[in-house]
Amino acid sequence: MVETLLITVLIIAICVALLSVKVLFKKNGHFESQHIHDSKAMRDRGIHCVMDQDREARAANKAY
């Protein structure tokens, strides 16, 4: 039981370390935003957040 717990914690620690490589080793490194409204490619295609789509539909009285 304890061995399984230690292996699990070790695997999670390795995963967190690998995910944070860019943040730790790049000057001014940060995680990129995963929000749709922050993606230029999505904005170019006219795709935006569901909250914005809902707001626009309500304003146009087509929210059904």
Side-chain angles (χ1 to χ4, degrees):
M1 175 76 176
V2 173
E3 182 179 308
T4 305
L5 182 63
L6 289 175
I7 291 172
T8 303
V9 170
L10 179 64
I11 290 171
I12 291 172
I14 290 170
C15 291
V16 169
L18 290 174
L19 286 170
S20 62
V21 166
K22 180 179 178 183
V23 174
L24 295 175
F25 295 114
K26 184 177 180 183
K27 185 176 180 178
N28 295 325
H30 64 280
F31 288 113
E32 298 296 326
S33 175
Q34 298 299 313
H35 294 280
I36 291 176
H37 68 269
D38 291 334
S39 171
K40 183 177 180 340
M42 291 293 195
R43 284 193 311 256
D44 290 344
R45 292 185 179 115
I47 300 171
H48 45 275
C49 176
V50 69
M51 297 298 287
D52 293 337
Q53 289 177 342
D54 184 56
R55 188 177 309 115
E56 290 171 4
R58 289 177 189 270
N61 209 12
K62 295 181 180 180
Y64 49 86

